């Protein structure tokens, strides 16, 4: 049956997608069996997990039901730094076939490991991701996620091949060549960060190429938060369907959750990654449907299991059935990452709020950057916004008007005054990976 | 009867004016006239060039945001009261000038006024009715070459 659906070009299914459609009770049986195994594995092989469980008087046998997961201690990002490089591995190096690492911009990088089985699971969940976004055998997938230590490139690569798509391993960067290959190779699907794709749209326009005229039909975007407004912009300007995917290296890389044809929340591949939502302040588990911090437990990871890993991502779980038929639960797209939040004059600000304010005025998202400075003990926030053809006027009054409207829109949402500066196109650095939206110079000099 | 004017957004900091002008100069495009409007933070460079389509393409490919606006050129005698006379006609017709700039010709004792109107077609009708000479693009080129 699934194979038949798979042969239907529009089906969005793949044999690997079968667990997406398990009855809930069958899924929970799989989850509990795997949870008990992974907790035992972590307890036996990783000093940090064992000592924390011992402190609480817990043993692997304490896990009798899925609810018992709430007794287990959390794992946080600093645990990965503190045990750098290999302290959280549960497999001997002879079983580890791959290492990835974060860029480590804020100190020590974090290292993650995969056994051959882990790579297979990763390939499977990425194939399920692509199937969920409507890709199938015969699609030509341009993979513009960065290859290398970053998990995005290789994760998408293996998933695309497992799906049976034709993968072009172009990696990030060299935008003119990206556009040339989309055109010359009749690329039908592309994955990268949403900010890099908006840059591609902009560059294609400069080169006189309308992406809507090409065969590209699907974009798979992840690795940074983006908004629905950005999705509408991308879909209209490139003539594609744009899907949000979610993942993080600490858990596996991309492939933790993915949107489906409904574009209404991301299905978490729950048979491998167990999601919980907690109150970020108290650590208490919250009921389904409430907004809080996403906590994930890897149910099948071998080389580096994660028990109740705090993602810092704010979202909520949706339990209502999805129109696509998948039974695995969905999470709301992550609009804000508590890591991205900055505090200015006592106000918590997320870049996505600034984004929404800019979008409300311009209709599309301009390139922007938030710059925080400190002068005379007072924090200042400046927002630089590149002028676009849509808002540019030959009249000073027209530009002063747009500047004032952008500033007011941000001030209405944040409740603080901002210094809004219009800047020339292409003066804000473009990222070929994750966009850097906030520059904090408050502790410089 | 209308002229195509190119406008560019520039940040108000040293060196920003030179770059676009150098870009079109490199392609052999000569500027008939220009004006620069500025605020403390940014400015708008407005250009009248012969091959505006080519200039627009060059500037856009180099990354500038270029706006195309229709403006109206009028020639008046280059002597005291030449501009004032034209402005009086516009004022009597209740036509608002968004902005204007002017340059004098090297011959014929003439000055050219470039006007930006909200409604250029109505402005042209008024100017013609009052006996002023509206200069179209081709004619302007003969004046300056």
């Amino acid at each position: 049956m699934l194979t038949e659906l798979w042969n239907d070009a529009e089906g969005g299914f793949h044999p690997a997608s079968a667990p997406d459609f398990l009855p809930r009770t069958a899924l929970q049986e799989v989850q509990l069996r795997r949870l008990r195994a992974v907790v035992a594995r972590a307890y036996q092989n990783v000093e940090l997990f064992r000592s924390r469980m011992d402190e609480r008087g817990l043993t692997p046998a304490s896990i009798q039901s899925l609810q018992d997961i709430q007794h287990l201690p959390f794992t946080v990002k600093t645990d990965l730094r503190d045990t750098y490089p290999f302290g959280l591995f549960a497999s001997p190096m002879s079983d580890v076939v791959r290492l990835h690492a974060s860029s480590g911009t804020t100190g020590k990088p974090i290292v993650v490991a995969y056994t051959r089985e882990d790579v297979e699971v990763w390939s499977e969940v990425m194939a399920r991701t692509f199937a969920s976004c409507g890709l199938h055998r015969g699609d030509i997938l341009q993979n513009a996620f960065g290859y290398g230590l970053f998990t995005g490139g290789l994760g998408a690569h293996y998933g695309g091949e497992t799906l049976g798509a034709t993968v072009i391993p172009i990696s990030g960067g060299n935008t003119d060549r990206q556009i040339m290959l989309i055109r010359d190779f009749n690329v039908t699907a592309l994955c990268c960060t949403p900010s890099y794709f908006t840059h591609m749209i902009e560059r294609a326009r400069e080169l006189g190429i309308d992406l809507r005229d090409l065969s590209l039909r699907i974009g798979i975007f992840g690795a940074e938060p983006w908004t629905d407004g950005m999705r509408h912009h991308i879909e209209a300007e490139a003539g594609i369907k744009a899907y949000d995917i979610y993942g993080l290296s600490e858990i596996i890389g991309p492939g933790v959750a993915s949107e489906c044809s409904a574009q209404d929340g991301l299905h978490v591949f729950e048979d491998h990654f167990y999601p919980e939502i907690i109150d970020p302040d108290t650590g208490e588990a919250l009921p389904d449907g409430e907004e809080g911090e996403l906590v994930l437990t890897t149910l099948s990871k071998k080389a580096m299991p994660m028990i109740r890993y705090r993602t810092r991502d704010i979202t909520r779980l949706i339990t209502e059935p999805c129109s696509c038929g998948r039974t695995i639960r969905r999470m709301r797209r992550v609009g804000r990452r508590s890591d991205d939040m900055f505090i200015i004059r006592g106000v918590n600000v997320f870049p996505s709020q600034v984004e929404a304010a800019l979008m409300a005025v311009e209709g599309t998202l301009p390139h922007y950057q938030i710059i925080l400075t400190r002068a005379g003990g007072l924090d200042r926030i400046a927002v630089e916004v590149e002028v676009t053809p849509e808002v540019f006027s030959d009249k000073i009054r027209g530009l002063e008007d747009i500047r004032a409207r952008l500033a007011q829109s941000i001030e209405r949402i944040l409740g603080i005054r901002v210094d809004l500066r219009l800047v020339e196109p292409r003066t804000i650095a473009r990222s070929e990976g994750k966009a850097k939206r906030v520059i904090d110079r408050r502790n410089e000099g | 009867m209308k002229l195509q004017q190119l406008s560019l957004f520039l940040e108000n900091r040293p060196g920003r004016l030179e770059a676009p002008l150098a870009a079109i100069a490199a392609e052999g495009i000569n500027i008939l006239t220009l004006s620069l409007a500025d605020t403390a933070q940014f400015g708008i460079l407005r250009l009248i060039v012969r091959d505006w389509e080519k200039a627009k393409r060059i500037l856009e490919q180099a990354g500038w945001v270029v706006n195309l606006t229709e403006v109206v050129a009028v020639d008046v005698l280059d002597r005291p009261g030449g501009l004032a006379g034209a402005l009086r006609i516009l004022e009597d017709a209740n036509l608002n000038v968004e902005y204007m700039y002017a340059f004098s010709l090297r011959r014929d004792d003439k000055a050219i006024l470039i006007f930006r109107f909200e409604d250029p077609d109505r402005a042209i009708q008024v100017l013609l009715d009052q006996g002023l000479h509206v200069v179209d693009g081709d004619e302007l080129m003969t004046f300056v070459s």
Side-chain angles (χ1 to χ4, degrees):
Chain A
M1 172 63 180
L2 276 169
T3 312
E4 282 165 35
L5 285 170
W6 167 231
N7 290 332
D8 167 7
E10 301 306 317
F13 301 98
H14 182 269
S17 302
D20 296 3
F21 301 91
L22 278 178
R24 292 294 306 175
T25 48
L27 174 67
Q28 282 160 2
E29 278 170 33
V30 172
Q31 287 177 320
L32 180 59
R33 191 178 70 239
R34 289 182 177 168
L35 176 65
R36 296 180 66 160
V38 79
V39 170
R41 184 177 181 82
Y43 185 84
Q44 284 153 19
N45 298 294
V46 184
E47 168 58 29
L48 179 107
F49 293 130
R50 183 169 51 246
S51 61
R52 284 191 184 165
M53 283 175 64
D54 286 343
E55 279 168 27
R56 287 167 173 74
L58 297 168
T59 68
S62 310
I63 305 296
Q64 293 298 320
S65 71
L66 284 173
Q67 284 68 43
D68 289 337
I69 196 171
Q70 292 176 20
H71 305 305
L72 294 170
F74 292 116
T75 312
V76 294
K77 195 169 207 158
T78 48
D79 291 330
L80 282 90
R81 298 221 167 92
D82 294 346
T83 56
Y84 176 87
F86 305 144
L88 292 184
F89 291 10
S91 295
M93 200 56 89
S94 55
D95 288 344
V96 172
V97 299
R98 178 99 62 81
L99 297 177
H100 281 282
S102 75
S103 50
T105 44
T106 49
K108 279 183 195 167
I110 57 163
V111 183
V112 293
Y114 304 78
T115 64
R116 191 167 300 285
E117 230 180 313
D118 291 335
V119 172
E120 278 164 18
V121 168
W122 193 14
S123 306
E124 175 205 310
V125 287
M126 276 310 288
R128 288 161 68 180
T129 293
F130 288 134
S132 177
C133 298
L135 265 73
H136 48 76
R137 196 170 41 197
D139 267 311
I140 300 177
L141 172 65
Q142 184 155 317
N143 182 11
F145 279 124
Y147 280 66
L149 283 177
F150 172 56
T151 50
L154 283 170
H157 182 100
Y158 276 60
E161 287 190 353
T162 301
L163 182 84
T166 307
V167 182
I168 304 170
I170 190 166
S171 193
N174 202 339
T175 311
D176 287 8
R177 189 175 58 190
Q178 300 269 2
I179 293 162
M180 184 183 84
L181 293 196
I182 293 172
R183 187 189 60 195
D184 295 352
F185 290 5
N186 294 320
V187 167
T188 56
L190 183 140
C191 52
C192 62
T193 57
S195 58
Y196 186 47
F197 191 68
T198 55
H199 175 51
M200 272 192 221
I201 291 174
E202 182 184 61
R203 183 62 190 149
R205 190 192 288 171
E206 284 168 8
L207 295 171
I209 293 170
D210 190 339
L211 292 175
R212 285 170 291 210
D213 296 339
L214 308 183
S215 40
L216 194 65
R217 62 184 186 91
I218 293 173
I220 301 105
F221 303 111
E224 64 187 13
W226 51 308
T227 57
D228 267 333
M230 237 170 124
R231 188 212 302 270
H232 297 144
H233 169 72
I234 286 172
E235 291 193 334
E237 293 296 317
I240 61 170
K241 292 290 263 181
Y243 297 96
D244 188 22
I245 65 170
Y246 175 81
L248 59 171
S249 301
E250 299 91 312
I251 297 303
I252 198 155
V256 173
S258 170
E259 281 189 335
C260 61
S261 54
Q263 292 181 315
D264 184 23
L266 292 83
H267 289 281
V268 182
F269 298 114
E270 290 187 82
D271 49 323
H272 293 301
F273 313 108
Y274 188 82
E276 298 171 85
I277 298 291
I278 63 159
D279 179 327
D281 297 324
T282 65
E284 289 298 312
L286 295 173
D288 280 351
E290 282 195 31
E291 189 178 83
E293 181 181 339
L294 177 68
V295 169
L296 290 165
T297 298
T298 62
L299 296 178
S300 23
K301 274 279 271 309
K302 294 286 191 282
M304 200 168 151
M306 275 294 141
I307 308 295
R308 300 196 87 200
Y309 183 73
R310 292 187 60 159
T311 64
R312 316 303 298 176
D313 289 326
I314 306 297
T315 182
R316 59 192 175 83
L317 291 176
I318 308 165
T319 48
E320 291 78 30
C322 181
S323 61
C324 78
R326 282 177 175 76
T327 51
I328 49 177
R329 283 177 294 177
R330 287 169 289 164
M331 57 183 252
R332 277 277 156 239
R333 60 201 275 125
V334 175
R336 51 208 182 96
R337 213 161 193 157
S338 46
D339 283 355
D340 290 343
M341 191 194 77
F342 56 90
I343 299 175
I344 180 143
R345 287 180 235 149
V347 181
N348 292 357
V349 178
F350 291 93
S352 58
Q353 293 175 292
V354 172
E355 221 160 88
L358 296 175
M359 193 100 69
V361 174
E362 294 210 20
T364 63
L365 185 69
H367 282 282
Y368 75 97
Q369 199 160 51
I370 298 165
I371 298 163
L372 306 174
T373 52
R374 183 169 289 159
L378 187 66
D379 286 357
R380 291 171 192 280
I381 172 169
V383 180
E384 292 188 341
V385 179
E386 283 187 8
V387 166
T388 59
E390 288 74 23
V391 302
F392 178 50
S393 155
D394 63 312
K395 293 182 277 184
I396 289 283
R397 186 148 40 90
L399 281 173
E400 288 288 16
D401 179 57
I402 190 84
R403 201 191 66 78
R405 279 163 56 210
L406 289 168
Q408 281 159 13
S409 180
I410 296 173
E411 285 163 19
R412 248 196 319 274
I413 290 183
L414 303 188
I416 47 174
R417 283 194 66 80
V418 299
D419 172 16
L420 196 127
R421 302 177 197 150
L422 295 176
V423 298
E424 288 171 29
R426 301 160 70 88
T427 48
I428 295 172
R430 298 294 189 267
S431 154
E432 288 160 356
K434 301 187 190 200
K436 185 148 179 57
R437 300 299 197 188
V438 183
I439 298 191
D440 194 341
R441 297 196 181 122
R442 286 180 291 186
N443 294 317
E444 286 176 13
Chain B
M1 299 296 269
K2 288 169 281 189
L3 292 179
Q4 301 295 338
Q5 170 195 265
L6 303 180
S7 305
L8 267 75
F9 178 88
L10 296 176
E11 283 170 50
N12 197 350
R13 55 190 170 86
R16 296 318 300 156
L17 181 58
E18 192 266 339
L21 298 181
I24 56 171
E27 298 287 333
I29 290 175
N30 192 28
I31 297 163
L32 297 186
T33 182
L34 62 80
S35 91
L36 194 58
D38 71 298
T39 70
Q41 205 235 317
F42 59 80
I44 301 171
L45 171 65
R46 305 175 183 128
L47 295 171
I48 306 280
V49 299
R50 189 185 304 262
D51 191 349
W52 62 266
E53 283 165 311
K54 184 178 172 194
K56 183 169 186 285
R57 197 169 56 241
I58 292 164
L59 291 166
E60 284 178 342
Q61 277 175 3
W64 275 282
V65 169
V66 183
N67 173 295
L68 194 61
T69 316
E70 291 182 326
V71 292
V72 178
V74 176
D75 73 35
V76 293
L77 284 175
D78 189 5
R79 67 171 67 140
L83 170 60
L87 289 175
R88 197 170 311 115
I89 288 168
L90 297 169
E91 193 180 319
D92 290 346
N94 207 18
L95 274 166
N96 188 34
V97 177
E98 297 278 348
Y99 56 80
M100 68 152 298
Y101 47 105
F103 62 106
S104 32
L105 297 176
R106 276 166 295 189
R107 57 184 171 87
D108 292 347
D109 193 22
K110 290 272 182 70
I112 301 284
L113 313 177
I114 308 277
F115 287 102
R116 163 77 153 97
F117 296 107
E118 202 55 64
D119 184 350
D121 293 316
R122 190 176 147 241
I124 287 170
Q125 200 51 56
V126 168
L127 290 163
L128 291 175
D129 288 350
Q130 294 298 321
L132 269 89
H133 184 211
V134 177
V135 184
D136 70 14
D138 290 341
E139 193 182 355
L140 188 64
M141 301 311 156
T142 67
F143 279 149
V144 292
S145 54

